[in-house]
Amino acid sequence: MIRVIERSALSLFRMMESAFNQIFGERWNPWYQLGALSFYFFWIVTVTGLYLFIFFDTSISGAFESMEALTNNQWFAGGIIRSLHRYASDAMAITVTLHLLREFSLGRFRGARWFSWFSGVPLLWLLFASAIGGYWLVWDQLAQYISEITTEWFGWLPFIGDSLARNFVSNQTLSDRFFSLLVFMHIAIPLFLLVGMFIHIKRIKLPKTSPPKGLARGTLAALILLSLIKPAVSMNKADMSVSVTSIDLDWVYMNVYPLLDSWGYGPVWALLVGISGALAILPWLSPNKKNTQQAAEVNPDNCNGCSWCYQDCPFEAITMIEHDFKKGHKQAQVDPDLCTACGICAGSCPSATPFRHVDELISGIEIPSFSIDHLRQETHKKLEALKGNQRLVVFGCDHGNEIKRIADDQTAVISLPCAGLLPPSFADYISRQPEIDGVMVSGCCSQDCYFRKGTEWTEQRFHRERMPHLRTKAGQQKVKLFWAGPAEGKKLKQALTEYRIELAIHKAEETEGSGHD
Amino acid sequence: MTNWKFWAGQLLCYSLFIGFIGYFSNSPAYQRFPDNQAMIKLSLRHAGQLIGECHIRSETELAQLPPNMRIAKVCPRERSSLMLDLLINGEIVYSEEHTPRGLHKDGLSSIYFRLPVDAGNIDFKVRMKDHPSQNDYPYQLQKKLQLAPAQVLVIDFDSKAGEFIIL
Ligand code: HEM
């Protein structure tokens, strides 16, 4: 059931992403930057919040007036800053929610990836608490409504009790002390959120925490424009002797408040705790299937301690330790609890080269169920079956384009867990086979590798910017890279056709050249 | 895709994004109550009377105790629950017993209750007992009032004076 929802959500996301690729290009596509955008909005909220704090009167008698003065007397500065503070918070709630849904649809909560998922759940509570606390400080009628409902809602819990709501029951019972506590909480909770955000990405190598410049500028400009068109304003000043009947709610953050009125507090607690609990245990409710890849294994005989795999692992699952038996040398060690079995480490291993003259090719590090030797055997089998006069081999990843669709007599396709598993020397080796005209390596779209870094590292290795390099003497045109998301099957077909034409022209030029000689 | 389509597409997406945020950040207005509704809040903190009699220790009882604990008069700590009723136009709309806080039930009882009512004339009565031996309600307040729409009437209790007050 979970997988069915996951797949439907994924196809919806794929459609959106593909449409946005047309508009924004892959690099600026916001769907690939939802976590980074969330960080970005957090920083906008922090900087604008600092400005607001300078002018904010932290007493319950002066809070409302200080916000009014800021909004009206300096609309060109404080007013815009206030609006940005509000709208960037709303934007963050939206990107975080979409980020959650997208990570879910990609199944990025299973196996070793449970940590980011699990640690994301408390961030939701902290984010909502931060925002609702902010609205409370304005001390207008919205704040009055929030104070009444929130204190009653928390007072419903037996260990808190009724006395919380009493603080906000009438103008006489209001106290600056309690209000100062709220001001303190509106600083403390976002700080906890920030700490939580760092814990959330702790197990990720080089996390994307800032969006590309074009997207960052675009979103900031849009939010500033919104602040100018519709500046954030307060409702009337809170007055506890008159209840608020019609409220200008921020539906992004306070969507459960009407439920609190209609269902009562217990059911809403049950709902929210239930949803959070279900999210938190999702990695164990729907674990990896039994037959999925096992964690990478190190073979000390073939590990020379170069540490390339350590540098390339996207989930920091590899550490370098003393070599088992080579004195003064290092050796990789894999923490299976952190390993996602992507195989990017195998692709980085200098010993994973099929040029080696050994009976059984064992790499210094590799995925046991998808060894380099297995890859060599499978590739050879497919090469033998190729016919025609322009024979190509296409390596693709399971998460990118479905490469099986392009297989034919002249095109052998080999699917990998991740394109990053393919050592450049392997592509080189295949490209040098006399009967092979070209090799194509394809995988997830450039900004959205399922295993985060496979596309980027492969690109760099094949362009000789990252070890191990591609060192083909057969010419760069014999190895071609192509990245496209799974929804872009047509593009892959087209790229393959173009590659065939390119190879044919090159071949014709070569024969012409040798004819002249 | 041509250049203008690229920018126009982005402009549209950004407009939808800020349109969504701009609208939902404070609309549509949430109508919490009908306009002609008022609100009564019952909110008080009061310590019920001690339950049980104080006990004077005899000389022999005192002698059995360590010297630092020889106090002649010992009183029980437990306090009574509060029994509180609210009647509107003669009808009981709230009637509850509130146990005191604390492991030994020796703290205050705290009550908070909110009730939306139609605006207009109301005749309300609030009454409370703070000891089980009380047959009648020693604390009572009855009033006829005209409540304006959205008015909040807060009924509190002044423990020192032993009477209900309206805030
Ligand atoms: C304050 C809110 C959040 C922020 C700022 C945030 C930010 C991020 C960032 C920057 C990344 C790294 C992206 C990359 O480099 O690939 C990430 C990954 C991730 N986040 Fe969040 N996130 C937040 C909330 C959540 C929530 C609520 C969930 C789900 C419950 C979640 C689940 C994940 C998952 C599963 C990953 C991927 C880890 C992987 O690739 O294995 N996040 N997040």
Side-chain angles (χ1 to χ4, degrees), chain A residues 150-165:
Chain A
T150 314
T151 52
E152 287 180 14
W153 184 29
F154 278 77
W156 181 89
L157 298 171
F159 55 91
I160 294 185
D162 282 339
S163 49
L164 188 63

Side-chain angles (χ1 to χ4, degrees), chain A residues 10 13-18 21 25-35 99 102-103 105-106 108 113 208 397-401 418 443-456 483-488:
Chain A
L10 186 61
F13 274 114
R14 293 293 186 220
M15 251 161 50
M16 297 284 260
E17 287 162 18
S18 171
N21 273 340
E26 280 174 13
R27 238 178 87 65
W28 292 2
N29 189 337
W31 295 102
Y32 302 148
Q33 308 289 344
L34 292 169
H99 167 67
R102 188 165 186 274
E103 299 302 315
S105 75
L106 285 164
R108 283 187 177 159
R113 301 177 99 157
K208 274 197 284 188
C397 88
D398 292 343
H399 304 278
N401 243 299
C418 173
C444 307
C445 123
S446 64
Q447 295 298 311
D448 188 38
C449 169
Y450 180 77
F451 288 111
R452 302 190 53 259
K453 291 289 174 194
T455 312
E456 195 179 336
W483 311 115
E488 286 161 315

Side-chain angles (χ1 to χ4, degrees), chain A residues 70-196:
Chain A
L70 189 87
T71 310
N72 301 319
N73 303 350
Q74 46 159 314
W75 68 265
F76 48 87
I80 294 179
I81 299 269
R82 175 184 183 189
S83 309
L84 266 182
H85 191 72
R86 178 184 292 186
Y87 295 140
S89 313
D90 283 328
M92 181 167 175
I94 294 169
T95 49
V96 168
T97 310
L98 293 174
H99 167 67
L100 179 158
L101 293 173
R102 188 165 186 274
E103 299 302 315
F104 164 75
S105 75
L106 285 164
R108 283 187 177 159
F109 53 85
R110 296 202 173 87
R113 301 177 99 157
W114 70 272
F115 182 82
S116 291
W117 177 267
F118 187 79
S119 61
V121 179
L123 299 185
L124 293 172
W125 283 85
L126 291 169
L127 176 62
F128 277 69
S130 303
I132 291 167
Y135 276 115
W136 202 330
L137 294 186
V138 178
W139 206 234
D140 62 349
Q141 288 175 322
L142 174 60
Q144 176 181 342
Y145 169 68
I146 293 174
S147 68
E148 180 173 300
I149 296 291
T150 314
T151 52
E152 287 180 14
W153 184 29
F154 278 77
W156 181 89
L157 298 171
F159 55 91
I160 294 185
D162 282 339
S163 49
L164 188 63
R166 194 174 155 75
N167 286 294
F168 290 93
V169 84
S170 84
N171 293 327
Q172 284 101 308
T173 56
L174 295 175
S175 84
D176 270 343
R177 270 222 343 243
F178 196 88
F179 203 68
S180 312
L181 178 68
L182 291 177
V183 176
F184 170 75
M185 301 240 289
H186 189 54
I187 298 168
I189 297 176
L191 274 177
F192 280 117
L193 174 60
L194 180 61
V195 173

Side-chain angles (χ1 to χ4, degrees), chain A residues 216-273:
Chain A
R217 285 187 189 140
T219 34
L220 182 61
L223 291 180
I224 292 176
L225 184 70
L226 175 61
S227 306
L228 286 167
I229 301 173
K230 192 183 174 194
V233 288
S234 311
M235 292 182 71
N236 290 332
K237 187 174 178 176
D239 174 1
M240 307 314 278
S241 64
V242 181
S243 57
V244 203
T245 47
S246 171
I247 305 147
D248 300 339
L249 273 195
D250 180 336
W251 290 88
V252 176
Y253 278 111
M254 287 161 221
N255 40 50
V256 296
Y257 275 65
L259 273 189
L260 289 165
D261 275 329
S262 56
W263 288 12
Y265 303 124
V268 176
W269 273 122
L271 177 77
L272 296 185
V273 172

Side-chain angles (χ1 to χ4, degrees), chain B residues 36-105:
Chain B
N36 66 342
Q37 207 148 67
M39 176 85 75
I40 295 182
K41 285 184 181 176
L42 203 55
S43 164
L44 55 97
R45 301 177 81 193
H46 174 61
Q49 293 183 35
L50 293 169
I51 302 180
E53 297 293 318
C54 294
H55 165 67
I56 310 286
R57 286 188 177 126
S58 66
E59 288 294 325
T60 39
E61 276 176 313
L62 283 173
Q64 282 164 359
L65 292 168
N68 62 332
M69 292 177 75
R70 287 181 191 155
I71 296 161
K73 189 175 173 183
V74 276
C75 294
R77 287 166 65 179
E78 186 179 340
R79 290 184 179 272
S80 160
S81 300
L82 303 183
M83 278 120 323
L84 186 81
D85 299 343
L86 173 68
L87 294 85
I88 292 181
N89 301 332
E91 229 178 88
I92 295 186
V93 291
Y94 178 82
S95 173
E96 245 165 72
E97 189 171 328
H98 291 268
T99 43
R101 287 195 162 199
L103 273 181
H104 299 284
K105 295 189 177 169

